[in-house]
Each structure stands twice: as C-alpha cells, then as structure tokens.
C-alpha cells in the first residue's frame, strides 16, 4: 500500500480503476434489470440489456435518471433488496413537494463510512485529531455521513450540529478541536463572532476545515483560510449518491478526486445530454457502482463542473473534477445574458471591504429587468463619507459589469444587516413575478 493511503484503491492505475468500473457497471445493470420494474422498463425502452454492456462507452446507451424520476418512485420504488435489509433512510433537503428518499443497507453504510474516512485521511486528518461536526444531522446526509467517516478514522468526534455559535466556540476551545466540518458561509459568521469577542480566529487550535453543501468561490475559500490560519478542503457529495464522500480535494487543493471505484462520473452537455470534450464545463452525471440497497444509474446532478486535465502531483489517478461552478438550474437570465450567482461572488470576494454576506435580487420595473446586489461592508470600511462609499459602489459595479456584461445596482449595507441562515446560504431571489 502507498504510505499515504487509507485504502489501496486510492493509488490504483487507470487500468485497475477502469477494469473495476466495468465489472461493477455490468453487475449493477444486471441487478437493477432483474430486481427493479422501473429500471427494467427504462432499459427495455432504450434497447439495453445487461449483456449489451461490454465496455465503459456503453454507459451512454443507458437512459438518464432525473430527480423527477426519483420523486416518482417515492418512497421505496427503486429499492432492490428486501425491506428488512434496509437499516437507514435519508431524504434530500428540499422543503416543498415530494422528497427524494434514499435507503441504505448495513453494507452501504460501511462503504460510505470507509469512503468518507478515505477523504479525511487524504487531507491529513488522523486518529489523534478532535473532529467537530458543525453540520446538520437528521435526514440531511452531511451530518451523519461525515461523522461516520471521522469515527471510522478514530477521531474523537463532536456532533455539535449547526448554529449556536457561542457553543461552537466554547467546544472548540474546551476540547481543542483541530478539524471542523462547516458550511463556508457559516465559517465567516463564526470568524466574525470571534472577532466581535475581541479575539483572533487564527488563535484557535483549528488546523483543517472541510467544507461543502453550497457552491462558493476560490476567493471565498482564501478568505476563510486567512481568517483562521487553517487549510480548507472542498468536499462534494449529494444525497442521491449517499452524501459527502463522493469526491474530495487532496492536499494539493487542485480539484476534487472522484472515487471512481465507487462511482462512475460523466460530464454532459445539459442541453443535448452528450459527453462534452475533455476539460469542457458541463453537467455532472453519476452512477453508483457499489450500492446494494438502491443503486442509481446515470443520475443528472444539475451541478456544473469539468474534469481537470493532467495528473495530480499527489499521485492519485482517480479523475479530478473542478469545484462546482454553479447549477444548471441556478442560472438566471437578465437582459438576455446568462448569469450564474457564482460569477458575482467571485468578483465581490476580491474586495477587502466586502463583508461575509451578499444578496442578489432580480426585479422588473415594467420597462425591463433590474439586477440589484446588496453587499455587506465590513465595519471598519463603513464610513460616513459618502464620496468614499460611492467610489466603492462604482468600483464594484464596474468589476461586475466586466464579468457579467450587465451593470447592476450596488446597494452597500452595514455588516450583519442581511438575513443569515444556519442552513445553506440564500444568495439569490428572483422577485420579477412576485409583485
């Protein structure tokens, strides 16, 4: 085994990875065809039989699975084992309509914990670390998924859950927490609270944070690292593929390694569904290769990313994907221009005057669309001199215009004045049809 590996599969050759993928793909197609009416009908309609899967290229013949498909099979229509073999249920975090339910066997949970431990070990987490999980537990997968991985590694694991910032800080100090799992937006909230207490966030024992669950930019990550003087590693997962542990950065912080022995990943054009050229941005499509209870074929994640070219200096040959650049259903159109909220954040976070929070508002004045961006300004920069504030407004508007080709109205607001949430940050509101 490679000296830095938690699992020998981390350092498999491409031949080993692809041979394992083909064996497992054939197996999962055969199992769902035999045991699941929904998939058998879908595969029959596409003219795909288990025997017709002879190479990895044949995956393109398999129909996509969408979130609507999963909802249509709620509660357990995609399960392929007897119900008494199921030991845990998770649901997607959507608040309206029919949820997406994912059921797991004990083997599924064991595999998930091992994948998550593999991720944490890769970024330097070891059994002597104290791991504080500031993520939601319950039906949301982030809490229990990461928790299981930290325990599997042997860390003392604190299930702190989200919010209650004063208690989070006390736990970090009292138990000398060295590793945290935290939402990126909440990391800045935590840091600001520590500053308000007259203390320096960098003085805490934290040395590593793993973050995910909401899209954010490289500039946002840099701000968290500078604030706490710690390394911040990107995590990627989704409930439909278990949760966290699907892909993770290594210590090079240069793309997220997808664990290809457990998942088959594709990047497709969101419009045509065809594979994009290597390195091009498209929609991530995922297939479970080892899940027993509820396998899923070619799930359209709606997450936009790309495979990164070249090999990683860490030596792992599992494909790397770029950070999530947005969601195909997050894009909005203003004055005929396609805009992703991520583009706006990327510009804002490069201004030292900008605080932890912002809100993008899309309105209509009966003449046309109006793009407004409310931006919190850090206290030390929020001065009474209107010329200074107006100058900052103009600089932000100009920088955004260069990036998104639309000139927004910039509204500077005081620090801590925009609403915050313990869950995923709300960054965009389309108010055009609400009046």
């Amino acid at each position: 085994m490679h000296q830095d590996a938690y699992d020998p599969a981390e350092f498999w050759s491409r031949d080993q990875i692809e041979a394992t993928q083909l064996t497992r793909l054939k197996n999962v197609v055969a199992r769902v065809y035999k045991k699941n009416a929904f998939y058998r009908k879908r595969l029959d309609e596409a003219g795909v039989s288990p025997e017709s899967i002879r190479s990895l290229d044949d995956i393109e013949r398999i129909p996509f699975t969408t979130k609507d498909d999963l909802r249509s099979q709620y509660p357990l229509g995609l399960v392929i084992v007897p119900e008494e073999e199921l030991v845990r249920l998770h649901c997607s975090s959507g608040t309206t309509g029919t949820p997406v339910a994912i059921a797991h066997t004990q083997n599924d949970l064991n595999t998930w914990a091992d994948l998550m431990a593999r991720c944490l070990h890769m970024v330097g987490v070891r059994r002597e670390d104290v791991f504080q999980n500031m993520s939601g537990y319950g039906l949301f997968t982030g809490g229990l998924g990461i928790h299981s991985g930290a325990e599997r590694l042997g860390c003392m694991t604190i299930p702190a859950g989200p919010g209650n910032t004063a208690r989070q800080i006390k736990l970090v100090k009292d138990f000398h927490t060295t590793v945290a799992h935290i939402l990126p937006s909440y990391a800045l909230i935590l840091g600001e609270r520590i500053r308000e207490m007259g203390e320096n966030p960098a003085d805490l024992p934290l040395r590593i944070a793993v973050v995910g669950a909401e899209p954010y930019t490289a500039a946002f990550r840099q701000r968290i690292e500078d604030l706490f003087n710690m390394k911040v590693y990107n995590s990627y997962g989704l409930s439909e593929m278990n949760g966290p542990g699907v892909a993770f950065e290594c210590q090079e912080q240069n793309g997220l390694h997808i664990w290809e022995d457990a998942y088959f990943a594709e990047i497709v054009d969101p419009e045509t569904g065809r594979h994009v050229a290597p390195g091009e941005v498209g929609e991530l499509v995922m297939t479970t290769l080892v899940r027993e209870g509820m396998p899923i074929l070619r799930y359209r994640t709606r997450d936009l990313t790309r495979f990164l070219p070249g090999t990683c200096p860490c030596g792992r040959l599992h494909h790397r994907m770029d950070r999530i650049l947005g969601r195909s259903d997050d894009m909005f159109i203003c004055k005929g221009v396609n805009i992703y909220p991520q583009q706006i954040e990327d510009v804002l976070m490069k201004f030292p005057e900008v605080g932890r929070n912002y809100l993008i508002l899309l309105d209509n004045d009966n003449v046309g669309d109006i793009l407004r961006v409310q931006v919190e300004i850090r206290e030390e920069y929020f001065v009474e001199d209107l010329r200074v504030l107006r100058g900052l407004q103009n600089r932000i508007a100009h920088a955004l215009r260069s990036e998104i080709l639309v000139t927004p109205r910039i509204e500077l607001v005081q620090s801590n004045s925009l609403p915050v949430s313990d869950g995923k940050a709300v960054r965009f509101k389309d108010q055009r049809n609400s009046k």
Side-chain angles (χ1 to χ4, degrees):
M1 185 188 291
H2 193 286
Q3 61 177 358
D4 294 328
Y6 175 81
D7 183 321
E10 290 177 53
F11 288 94
W12 280 355
S13 68
R14 284 307 306 172
D15 285 346
Q16 284 175 292
I17 290 169
E18 289 171 15
T20 300
Q21 285 188 312
L22 182 56
T23 300
R24 291 177 175 175
L25 179 63
K26 287 177 175 178
N27 179 267
V28 72
V29 172
R31 283 191 300 130
V32 300
Y33 190 86
K34 180 180 178 183
K35 298 181 178 181
N36 187 262
F38 171 85
Y39 271 128
R40 186 164 52 251
K41 182 171 182 286
R42 275 290 176 87
L43 291 166
D44 282 343
E45 287 170 351
V48 177
S49 66
E51 300 74 34
S52 67
I53 304 296
R54 297 190 183 92
S55 75
L56 291 177
D57 290 338
D58 288 329
I59 197 165
E60 279 202 87
R61 299 173 54 216
I62 297 171
F64 292 118
T65 305
T66 66
K67 182 158 279 193
D68 284 342
D69 291 330
L70 299 187
R71 288 182 174 132
S72 77
Q73 297 304 303
Y74 179 87
L76 296 175
L78 291 183
V79 167
I80 65 166
V81 299
E83 281 189 36
E84 58 267 26
E85 292 185 27
L86 302 174
V87 298
R88 183 169 328 145
L89 179 81
H90 280 287
C91 281
S92 62
S93 53
T95 54
T96 58
T98 305
V100 170
I102 307 293
H104 303 271
T105 66
Q106 188 59 55
N107 281 343
D108 290 337
L109 295 185
N110 293 342
T111 301
W112 185 10
D114 280 334
L115 287 171
M116 198 59 243
R118 190 195 292 189
C119 295
L120 295 173
H121 187 272
M122 179 167 62
V123 298
V125 183
R126 297 294 182 267
R127 69 186 310 272
E128 56 269 22
D129 278 301
V130 176
F131 190 97
Q132 188 163 325
N133 195 7
M134 304 184 192
S135 179
Y137 282 74
L139 290 173
F140 171 64
T141 56
L144 281 163
I146 294 242
H147 181 113
S148 300
E151 283 189 341
R152 184 64 56 98
L153 266 187
C155 301
M156 184 171 88
T157 305
I158 305 171
N164 199 335
T165 304
R167 185 181 64 184
Q168 300 282 11
I169 295 167
K170 179 172 174 57
L171 288 169
V172 170
K173 290 178 176 178
D174 292 351
F175 296 97
H176 303 285
T177 301
T178 52
V179 185
H181 174 223
I182 190 168
L183 285 171
S185 55
Y186 186 61
L188 288 191
I189 292 171
L190 197 70
E192 291 297 326
R193 178 68 62 86
I194 293 163
R195 276 179 163 172
E196 288 165 9
M197 294 163 59
E199 299 176 27
N200 184 354
D203 292 338
L204 293 174
L206 289 168
R207 66 185 191 89
I208 291 174
V210 296
V211 300
E214 59 188 25
Y216 71 111
T217 59
F220 202 101
R221 187 238 294 268
Q222 188 64 54
R223 185 171 281 203
I224 299 169
E225 288 193 332
D226 293 345
L227 188 62
F228 287 92
N229 189 28
M230 66 180 175
K231 298 302 286 182
V232 174
Y233 295 101
N234 291 332
S235 163
Y236 177 75
L238 62 163
S239 300
E240 295 82 0
M241 296 291 120
N242 294 349
V246 173
F248 222 82
E249 279 187 319
C250 65
Q251 292 182 358
E252 298 291 331
Q253 292 180 302
N254 183 27
L256 296 91
H257 292 277
I258 302 164
W259 297 129
E260 295 183 90
D261 52 319
Y263 303 100
F264 192 92
E266 307 166 74
I267 309 282
V268 305
D269 182 312
E271 299 296 324
T272 67
R274 304 295 296 171
H275 284 174
V276 300
E280 276 188 24
V281 172
E283 179 183 348
L284 182 66
V285 172
M286 301 289 292
T287 297
T288 63
L289 295 178
V290 293
R291 195 154 70 197
E292 276 186 345
M294 190 177 160
I296 297 178
L297 303 179
R298 300 197 81 201
Y299 179 68
R300 296 192 66 153
T301 68
R302 298 294 177 191
D303 288 326
L304 298 172
T305 184
R306 64 190 177 107
F307 289 139
L308 294 175
T311 56
C312 185
C314 79
R316 294 173 182 86
L317 298 178
H318 292 258
H319 277 134
R320 289 170 302 137
M321 62 181 232
D322 205 345
R323 66 177 53 244
I324 298 302
L325 306 170
R327 288 179 59 80
S328 58
D329 46 7
D330 269 356
M331 185 195 80
F332 62 92
I333 299 174
C334 179
K335 299 184 178 178
V337 178
N338 296 354
I339 300 171
Y340 292 96
Q342 287 286 94
Q343 294 175 278
I344 292 174
E345 179 181 293
D346 204 27
V347 170
L348 295 179
M349 288 300 137
K350 289 172 181 165
F351 284 86
E353 298 93 338
V354 170
R356 70 184 188 205
N357 213 350
Y358 66 91
L359 182 60
I360 303 162
L361 299 166
L362 197 52
D363 291 312
N364 190 292
D365 63 358
N366 297 320
V367 176
D369 293 338
I370 298 172
L371 181 63
R372 295 190 293 137
V373 183
Q374 296 179 338
V375 185
E376 284 188 359
I377 300 302
R378 288 166 59 181
E379 248 173 76
E380 59 266 39
Y381 293 105
F382 205 89
V383 294
E384 291 183 3
D385 190 333
L386 280 178
R387 287 172 302 175
V388 173
L389 293 178
R390 206 163 281 141
L392 177 60
Q393 267 179 324
N394 291 338
R395 282 189 292 124
I396 293 173
H398 182 75
L400 283 171
R401 164 81 193 181
S402 298
E403 172 65 26
I404 62 174
L405 309 179
V406 172
T407 305
R409 292 183 187 173
I410 304 301
E411 300 170 5
L412 305 181
V413 299
Q414 286 183 290
S415 186
N416 303 325
S417 62
L418 292 176
V420 296
S421 164
D422 288 339
K424 296 182 185 181
V426 176
R427 302 297 199 195
F428 173 68
K429 289 183 180 176
D430 188 343
Q431 303 180 136
R432 287 176 293 186
N433 297 319
S434 60
K435 295 176 181 176

